[in-house]
Amino acid sequence: MKVFLIWLFLLPGVVCSLAAGKNKEERVPAKREAGADAGKLKRGDASPDFMAVDTNNRLVSLKSFKGKYVYVDLWATWCSPCVAQIPHLQRLEKLFKGKKIVFVSISCDENMEEWLNYLRQNKMEGVQLNFDCNRRFQEAYGVQGIPRFILIDKKGKVVDPDMTRPSDPKTEKTLKALKGI
């Protein structure tokens, strides 16, 4: 009976891990709020705002970046496909430094101290935020797994709700082609 109960509790994690490996993305449990119109955002729609804390525990919102394009990276320290994108994201950050674009990495890590330690150990710079698995923003974009990348324009409108990954050569071309970057 104990073996059965252990198996019963481990099975969902194993299924998520297998699914994540198959699609090279980690699964984030989907929680739906009553009446949420999840995943309906498309190009040209206004992006919902978010509130997240930075590495100094200050609140930051999407509105903080108005006037710049925003390339959002939804990730977590425990997500190996997310971590694999970090060097590519850092390369893009250097390439577009001084341009009208900001690269915002939003972690879904629930343990703030582990997240902060990871950032320190890996000397991660740029805009690093954490919203402790706040699902409202993710639900609006229909995020079912991470990593997930989103491109928002200078006025807060969605350019691409499912933007290509930093490792994809199309990403650099798309960003270079943005009007007024």
Side-chain angles (χ1 to χ4, degrees):
M1 182 67 172
K2 286 181 184 178
V3 171
F4 174 75
L5 289 175
I6 291 170
W7 177 248
L8 183 64
F9 285 108
L10 291 177
L11 184 59
V14 171
V15 170
C16 286
S17 296
L18 290 174
K22 195 180 249 186
N23 296 325
K24 295 207 185 290
E25 86 180 11
E26 299 286 333
R27 297 289 169 198
V28 175
K31 292 182 185 175
R32 301 271 183 199
E33 293 176 12
D37 197 14
K40 300 291 184 188
L41 289 176
K42 55 191 177 304
R43 294 171 198 261
D45 288 348
S47 176
D49 199 11
F50 60 75
M51 292 297 288
V53 293
D54 67 8
T55 55
N56 295 311
N57 211 28
R58 288 182 298 219
L59 281 176
V60 177
S61 74
L62 176 61
K63 292 176 185 170
S64 307
F65 306 110
K66 263 221 161 114
K68 293 186 176 187
Y69 287 97
V70 182
Y71 184 84
V72 177
D73 168 17
L74 298 174
W75 75 292
T77 59
W78 45 261
C79 166
S80 56
C82 299
V83 170
Q85 290 299 312
I86 292 171
H88 304 285
L89 183 63
Q90 290 172 329
R91 185 187 69 76
L92 287 174
E93 287 175 327
K94 286 178 184 166
L95 182 67
F96 288 93
K97 188 173 183 149
K99 303 287 184 187
K100 293 192 177 199
I101 186 167
V102 62
F103 296 86
V104 179
S105 296
I106 305 176
S107 170
C108 298
D109 286 286
E110 292 178 10
N111 185 317
M112 292 288 287
E113 199 55 43
E114 284 181 17
W115 170 66
L116 289 169
N117 285 336
Y118 186 90
L119 296 179
R120 277 186 227 110
Q121 289 170 359
N122 293 282
K123 297 179 175 80
M124 292 177 65
E125 298 176 357
V127 179
Q128 299 292 333
L129 304 175
N130 183 298
F131 59 31
D132 187 21
C133 289
N134 175 339
R135 303 276 184 246
R136 190 166 166 252
F137 183 79
Q138 292 170 307
E139 286 178 353
Y141 281 96
V143 175
Q144 297 295 313
I146 56 175
R148 174 72 177 267
F149 301 91
I150 300 163
L151 183 60
I152 301 167
D153 75 10
K154 298 176 187 180
K155 295 179 181 176
K157 298 206 183 266
V158 178
V159 175
D160 193 335
D162 196 9
M163 182 65 180
T164 52
R165 294 178 179 206
S167 60
D168 187 328
K170 292 178 196 170
T171 302
E172 183 178 333
K173 289 178 186 173
T174 299
L175 297 181
K176 283 182 175 178
L178 292 172
K179 184 178 179 182
I181 193 158

